[in-house]
Amino acid sequence: MDPTVKLKGSDVDVLSDPSPYQRLIRRLLYLTISRPDLVFAVNKLSQFVSRSCKSHLVVAHYLLCYLKYSSDQGVMISPTNSFQLYAFIDSDWLLVLIQQNRLQDFFIFLGDSLVSWKSKKQNVVSHSSVGVEYRALASTVYELVWLTSLLHDLCVLVIL
């Protein structure tokens, strides 16, 4: 998604029939399961599902063009003998200046394969950067515990 595009709700160019836009966003949300590169753009577009404008539809069509020319990308699960879980965590403080929200991300790999990821605005206001980092760490640990117990139920020995 073009970072210079600022999507806003508008009363000027509201779509008379928002159902095609809503169907497109639903399909794009499903596609984010295997295409984490779309998560940010689809998340932004989905914020305007209830009151969509022509400018939102233009950005969604631009995203479809991107999909057409990048169809060979996506999450690939490669065979590996390594059952080691790796987790990467990030909290974005740049959005504090723009949106007053903190964005937390995590990515979890099993061997070389990405198996879980999340990008979410924190809904709790912290009084310090340490609190934000602890919340991001806690949500990642919850996911790691759940993945470990799932793999244990599947009789897979996991190394953390």
Side-chain angles (χ1 to χ4, degrees):
M1 186 169 156
D2 185 6
T4 61
V5 173
K6 304 294 181 208
L7 295 176
K8 298 178 187 174
S10 173
D11 293 330
V12 178
D13 59 349
V14 176
L15 294 174
S16 59
D17 181 19
S19 59
Y21 179 79
Q22 292 168 348
R23 279 194 307 272
L24 176 60
I25 296 303
R26 276 196 307 266
R27 290 178 176 134
L28 287 171
L29 280 168
Y30 180 74
L31 193 57
T32 60
I33 293 170
S34 63
R35 295 289 303 261
D37 56 332
L38 301 177
V39 171
F40 177 78
V42 174
N43 181 3
K44 281 296 190 191
L45 290 171
S46 68
Q47 293 176 8
F48 302 101
V49 168
S50 63
R51 187 134 175 98
S52 51
C53 302
K54 292 177 185 172
S55 59
H56 304 140
L57 191 58
V58 168
V59 173
H61 286 160
Y62 181 78
L63 187 59
L64 289 176
C65 290
Y66 169 76
L67 280 171
K68 179 180 179 183
Y69 294 108
S70 65
S71 61
D72 59 338
Q73 296 181 5
V75 174
M76 303 302 252
I77 308 272
S78 58
T80 181
N81 292 335
S82 171
F83 290 107
Q84 187 165 8
L85 283 174
Y86 297 97
F88 299 94
I89 308 165
D90 182 35
S91 292
D92 192 357
W93 278 87
L94 178 62
L95 289 178
V96 173
L97 302 174
I98 300 169
Q99 300 174 348
Q100 304 300 321
N101 286 358
R102 284 127 177 115
L103 188 67
Q104 72 179 40
D105 305 313
F106 69 75
F107 302 93
I108 299 176
F109 290 83
L110 179 63
D112 295 331
S113 300
L114 181 65
V115 292
S116 182
W117 63 90
K118 184 178 190 177
S119 178
K120 179 184 176 187
K121 290 180 187 175
Q122 287 188 355
N123 54 1
V124 177
V125 177
S126 295
H127 296 290
S128 68
S129 62
V130 175
V132 173
E133 295 292 334
Y134 277 135
R135 279 193 179 75
L137 181 63
S139 67
T140 306
V141 169
Y142 289 142
E143 186 75 10
L144 281 169
V145 168
W146 179 81
L147 279 171
T148 304
S149 66
L150 175 68
L151 291 169
H152 177 71
D153 291 344
L154 296 172
C155 299
V156 176
L157 180 61
V158 178
I159 302 167
L160 292 176

